[in-house]
Amino acid sequence: MFDAVSLATRGSARVLVLAHFKGEKLDTASRKLDPTGHAACAAERPEATGELGVIVEAFPEKGHDRILVVGLGDKDGFKPGHLRTAAGALARALSKAKADSAELALHPALTKLPKSAKIDLHACGCAMGEGFGIAAWNYDSLRGSATTRKDRTKLALHCDDPKFRAGITRGLGLAEGCNTARTLSQTPPNIATPAWLASEAKKMARKHGLKCTVYQGKQLEDHKFTGLINVGKASENKPCMIRLEYTPARGKSKDPVVLVGKTMTYDSGGLSIKVNNGMKGMKRDKDGGCAVFGAMQAIATTIKPNRPVVALLMCAENSISDEAYRPDDVIEFRNGVTVEVTNTDAEGRLVLADGLCWACEKESPAAIIDMATLTGGVVVALGSTYAGMWCDDDDLRAKIDAAAKVTDERVWRLPHHPEYRNMMKSSIADIVNSAPVREAHPIQGAAFLSYFVQDGIPWAHIDIAGTHATDKDNGPFIAGPTGYGARLLAETIERI
Ligand code: BES
Ligand code: ZN
Ligand code: ZN
C-alpha cells in the first residue's frame, strides 16, 4: 500500500474520484467534473452497482488520466462511517493503479442526500481520512533478505470542499494514532519489551509536546506498585509504568481524564502456564496500552482538548522463572487491599489495580477509563463485534457511547453488581484474582478492578480482548491488529 497519505494544498491530481449511491446514475454536479462523459457512462455499466466500495473505472481522453466511480451503498441509511469502507476500497484501487494523487469529489453526490439525512461533510471527510490512513498501514520493517520489498509510493489527496478538507485532516490524524497502536501491537515481544515501549513513548512525547515520565526499578517499590512488581519479576525484561501527560494551552486548571492501559508485552500465563496454542498471539496482550499510546498521540496532534489528559501504561512481561510469583501468594496493594493469587494468568487485573490506585490517589481524576485485553471470556460473550464496557456513570457512558458511534468501535454495556464483587472474596485475604467458578468471567475481571477505584470517581473499564485484532480483512483494515480504542479514547476525551 502507500508509504504515506497526505492532503495536498495545491496542484492537481491525476485521478478523479466520483461517487454514486446504489442503483443511481451519476448526479449532475458530478457529471460536470468530467465533460467527456466517460464517467457517466461507466456509472451505468452493469457492474456499477453502487454497492458500498464497488468501483468502476473510466479513462477519459482529456482531463484526468483515470476516473474512479465508487459506490456509496443505499442512500437510505447512509452514514458518514460508511466512507471508511469506501476509502479502503479506493486506497486499494489507487495503489493498484500506482496513482500518486487523487482528487476526491464525493461531496457532489453526498449533498444530494435528502435534507432529513442531515449530511455532515466534515464527518464525511473525517471518515474518509480515517479510511485512507488506516488502509495505508503496513508493517514490513522485519522482512529480511529473503523477501523482495514492495516499492511504496506516497499518495496526495486533493479536495476543494473546505468542510470535507478539514474532515480529511482530522481523519488522517486519528488514523495515525490508530496506526501507531497497530505498529506497537505488531512488534514482536523480543523487541517490544517494557523498556522499548518506554523509549518509544519518550520519542513520541518529545515529538508532539507531551510530558513523559517512566517509573521503574526502585521507584516501583517506593510507590508500592505491587501488581507490576509481582507480575513482572520472573522476566529479565523489567516492568515499568509509563506516564504521559497532555497539558492544554487553555483549561490547564481542570482535573485530568486518566487513561490506564494493560500493557503486557507477553502473557505466557506465568506458572499457571497457558496450554496448547493459547500463548500464540499473546504479544498483543499489550494492546490496551497501545490504544492509550495511540490516543495520546492523536490527542496531541489532532484533538487538542481543553482539558489535561494523563495516560498510565502498566508494562510488564508475564513470564516464568524461580522468581516468578505463584498461585497461593498473597500480595498487598497501595490502597491496602490484599489479594490472594489463585491464577497467575489473571495478571492484567493486578497491573491495572496499581494504575487505578495511582490514578485515584495522585491524579485527582475527573474520570478514569481503563482499556485491557483482560479476558478470553469477553471474546466468548461478544466475539470481535463489540468490546465489553462496564461503566455505571451515566454521563461518562453516554460520552463513550457517542464516541463509539462515530468511530465505529462498538462497545456493549455489561453489569457491575455486589454479587459479582462477593464472588471475588478470598478465605484468607480480601479478594482472589480469579474466582474458583467459571461463571461470568469477564465480569469477575471488572468486579476485581472495582476494589481499586474510589467511590464517586466516574470510571469505565473496557475489555478489548475480542476487538484488538482481526483474523480477516474488514473494510479498511487488513488481518492483524485493529488499533481498537485509539480513536475511541481520543473521541471520548473530546466529549468530556
Ligand atoms: N491476556 C489474557 C486474556 C486474553 C485472551 C486476551 C484471549 C486476548 C485474547 C488474560 O491475561 C488471561 O489469560 N485471562 C484468563 C483469566 C483467567 C485465568 C481468570 C482468561 O480469560 O482465561
Ligand atoms: Zn493472562
Ligand atoms: Zn493477559
Side-chain angles (χ1 to χ4, degrees):
M1 199 55 84
F2 298 103
D3 204 24
V5 184
S6 63
L7 182 62
T9 47
R10 66 169 85 88
S12 57
R14 311 241 311 267
V15 180
L16 173 67
V17 177
L18 302 173
H20 68 148
F21 285 98
K22 193 169 159 185
E24 298 203 350
K25 295 179 177 174
L26 216 53
D27 64 275
T28 326
S30 297
R31 274 168 197 265
K32 282 201 182 127
L33 298 173
D34 169 36
T36 70
H38 283 71
C41 287
E44 286 174 41
R45 291 208 300 262
E47 69 270 31
T49 59
E51 307 256 6
L52 183 59
V54 169
I55 295 170
V56 289
E57 293 185 296
F59 300 91
E61 58 275 355
K62 60 178 200 264
H64 295 88
D65 292 357
R66 183 189 295 254
I67 301 177
L68 303 182
V69 183
V70 65
L72 300 180
D74 270 318
K75 201 168 195 169
D76 297 330
F78 172 82
K79 291 195 180 65
H82 296 170
L83 292 176
R84 246 177 246 118
T85 304
L90 285 168
R92 277 188 287 277
L94 289 165
S95 165
K96 204 165 145 211
K98 304 219 176 299
D100 57 6
S101 56
E103 168 86 28
L104 299 180
L106 290 89
H107 45 285
L110 290 167
T111 44
K112 287 285 163 308
L113 278 167
K115 279 245 163 14
S116 60
K118 266 209 202 137
I119 191 67
D120 176 347
L121 279 181
H122 182 269
C124 288
C126 184
M128 203 80 200
E130 281 183 32
F132 268 102
I134 288 167
W137 180 77
N138 59 75
Y139 186 92
D140 53 12
S141 57
L142 300 183
R143 301 271 187 220
S145 59
T147 308
T148 319
R149 290 220 188 192
K150 285 193 193 125
D151 276 344
R152 298 195 188 279
T153 49
K154 292 188 183 353
L155 176 69
L157 298 174
H158 296 246
C159 179
D160 62 14
D161 181 88
K163 282 193 195 144
F164 208 91
R165 280 186 71 86
I168 293 175
T169 303
R170 179 186 166 96
L172 288 174
L174 285 162
E176 265 181 42
C178 173
N179 288 346
T180 294
R182 294 162 89 192
T183 298
L184 295 174
S185 168
Q186 193 75 323
T187 306
N190 57 329
I191 297 174
T193 60
W196 181 85
L197 283 169
S199 77
E200 290 298 298
K202 279 188 184 149
K203 267 194 262 172
M204 188 275 280
R206 211 173 305 128
K207 188 164 172 199
H208 300 300
L210 300 172
K211 189 177 158 197
C212 178
T213 318
V214 179
Y215 297 80
Q216 58 198 342
K218 189 168 171 304
Q219 290 158 307
L220 298 181
E221 312 261 350
D222 294 345
H223 294 293
K224 210 168 160 114
F225 284 118
T226 305
L228 281 179
I229 292 168
N230 279 281
V231 172
K233 69 184 177 183
S235 173
E236 61 179 1
N237 302 312
K238 292 302 170 202
C240 66
M241 179 175 86
I242 304 168
R243 181 183 182 279
L244 289 164
E245 184 175 357
Y246 161 84
T247 309
R250 277 175 296 133
K252 276 186 194 148
S253 57
K254 288 186 189 165
D255 286 336
V257 177
V258 182
L259 307 175
V260 186
K262 168 177 172 181
T263 319
M264 208 51 57
T265 60
Y266 201 70
D267 182 11
S268 68
L271 289 175
S272 315
I273 193 166
K274 287 185 184 292
V275 292
N276 299 325
N277 217 17
M279 223 181 279
K280 183 81 183 69
M282 282 300 145
K283 69 170 181 181
R284 296 200 203 290
D285 209 21
K286 57 184 176 312
D287 284 4
C290 297
V292 169
F293 188 120
M296 289 305 279
Q297 184 181 314
I299 284 163
T301 62
T302 306
I303 304 287
K304 300 180 178 139
N306 283 328
R307 177 186 284 284
V309 186
V310 170
L312 306 174
L313 272 66
M314 314 309 291
C315 310
E317 177 177 356
N318 190 17
S319 193
I320 296 184
S321 79
D322 57 330
E323 287 179 52
Y325 83 126
R326 352 163 162 70
D328 285 349
D329 282 354
V330 173
I331 55 182
E332 185 190 285
F333 283 76
R334 60 177 284 149
N335 66 345
V337 173
T338 57
V339 174
E340 179 193 356
V341 176
T342 48
N343 190 324
T344 62
D345 198 10
E347 82 299 336
R349 58 199 71 183
L350 300 174
V351 302
L352 285 176
D354 287 341
L356 294 172
C357 285
W358 173 279
C360 293
E361 286 178 44
K362 297 276 203 180
E363 307 285 3
S364 171
I368 302 173
I369 306 173
D370 80 70
M371 192 163 270
T373 49
L374 203 70
T375 67
V378 86
V379 193
V380 175
L382 301 172
S384 55
T385 307
Y386 283 87
M389 170 180 63
W390 288 257
C391 179
D392 283 358
D393 184 276
D394 292 346
D395 207 31
L396 177 59
R397 199 177 60 248
K399 283 167 179 150
I400 297 170
D401 275 327
K405 287 235 156 54
V406 169
T407 68
D408 204 27
E409 293 165 295
R410 292 173 288 267
V411 288
W412 194 260
R413 187 185 183 186
L414 289 163
H416 281 297
H417 192 279
E419 286 190 9
Y420 298 119
R421 276 169 63 91
N422 289 339
M423 279 172 83
M424 306 310 291
K425 290 260 161 79
S426 160
S427 60
I428 61 160
D430 292 334
I431 52 176
V432 292
N433 74 330
S434 174
V437 292
R438 283 201 56 81
E439 286 152 34
H441 244 181
I443 310 181
Q444 285 185 26
F448 177 92
L449 295 177
S450 73
Y451 281 91
F452 302 91
V453 181
Q454 286 172 16
D455 285 345
I457 298 177
W459 165 57
H461 159 57
I462 304 178
D463 190 340
I464 61 167
T467 54
H468 67 130
T470 170
D471 50 18
K472 43 186 181 303
D473 297 355
N474 180 17
F477 294 94
I478 51 168
T482 59
Y484 178 103
R487 291 175 299 125
L488 175 65
L489 290 172
E491 288 273 1
T492 301
I493 294 286
E494 187 172 57
R495 289 166 172 75
I496 299 179

